[in-house]
Amino acid sequence: LVTNKLNINEIAATHMFNRKVSIYDIEHQSISRLWNTVNLPTQIEYFTISQSSNSLLAITEGSQLSIWDSRTDKPIQRLSSSQLPKSGFLTSVSIQSNSNSTFIAVGGFDRVLTIFDSRKWIIKNSISGITKYDITWVQFSKERNDICFVGGHGGEIVCCSWGATAKQQPKKSVLQADSHFIGLENIK
């Protein structure tokens, strides 16, 4: 479940086992759009890119990431398992926008963090084996563009530098800690 930042009356939700995504209109208390997905949708996130003021949705569906325009009924981009380093089931997505580009990070059962650049829909970076178990959540740092936090099963938290600029190489496991040890009870 996620709220559209450009239109606070719009909420999107995934229905994994029904293979559907619903867009709800809060003001009219109704479903405004209902999309059928190819695979099982697990995570959803609203975002915008610098070239447009439209709200887009990044949806992890099985082993692919699909990008939808919230005003239409068809995906505008599908990044399939052939474009991903491995074809594991994706369970998490995070978005980071800056003045130049929008970056989308995905992770899942294969323990690979993959970051896409929205300008050309290419893989900006990929870090494999970042967690001990499968990735359950991903979050970009709000302070630094090149830092990403990754959560795994068993309460594991990893902080990594993913190399936001072409000169930087990704650094794995800059910080690795158990969420209970550092005082976090519930992780996404």
Side-chain angles (χ1 to χ4, degrees):
L1 186 66
V2 66
T3 304
N4 185 346
K5 293 173 184 144
L6 295 178
N7 179 4
I8 60 169
N9 290 322
E10 187 174 273
I11 294 176
T14 61
H15 306 284
M16 184 170 154
F17 296 111
N18 292 336
R19 295 182 183 198
K20 294 187 184 306
V21 173
S22 301
I23 309 294
Y24 296 97
D25 184 346
I26 301 297
E27 188 176 11
H28 297 102
Q29 298 180 355
S30 64
I31 296 175
S32 60
R33 284 174 299 291
L34 184 65
W35 300 329
N36 293 316
T37 60
V38 175
N39 292 309
L40 305 173
T42 53
Q43 276 283 44
I44 190 167
E45 209 48 62
Y46 274 104
F47 72 100
T48 57
I49 53 178
S50 58
Q51 302 96 322
S52 171
S53 62
N54 299 339
S55 290
L56 301 176
L57 284 157
I59 304 170
T60 55
E61 306 178 43
S63 62
Q64 72 181 6
L65 172 67
S66 59
I67 308 300
W68 296 67
D69 186 335
S70 63
R71 301 168 303 159
T72 65
D73 291 337
K74 295 182 181 180
I76 58 171
Q77 185 72 32
R78 271 211 170 97
L79 303 167
S80 66
S81 57
S82 63
Q83 293 161 294
L84 294 169
K86 290 186 179 180
S87 59
F89 195 83
L90 298 175
T91 57
S92 57
V93 63
S94 182
I95 312 290
Q96 180 189 58
S97 295
N98 60 31
S99 59
N100 298 331
S101 185
T102 299
F103 298 106
I104 302 172
V106 294
F109 290 174
D110 57 6
R111 304 176 325 148
V112 176
L113 174 67
T114 306
I115 294 139
F116 293 95
D117 188 341
S118 69
R119 288 178 288 191
K120 296 183 182 178
W121 296 112
I122 57 170
I123 294 174
K124 177 75 174 168
N125 218 326
S126 181
I127 308 170
S128 62
I130 194 162
T131 56
K132 186 174 181 181
Y133 303 108
D134 41 322
I135 295 172
T136 56
W137 61 268
V138 175
Q139 184 66 50
F140 283 105
S141 170
K142 296 189 186 328
E143 302 296 320
R144 288 186 47 191
N145 291 340
D146 64 331
I147 298 291
C148 195
F149 297 97
V150 180
H153 275 260
E156 180 181 23
I157 298 174
V158 178
C159 174
C160 68
S161 173
W162 60 271
T165 64
K167 295 177 184 175
Q168 294 176 321
Q169 291 298 317
K171 295 178 188 172
K172 289 192 242 178
S173 302
V174 174
L175 164 73
Q176 194 161 2
D178 186 314
S179 63
H180 301 295
F181 179 75
I182 61 173
L184 297 174
E185 289 298 322
N186 294 323
I187 300 175
K188 251 186 179 179

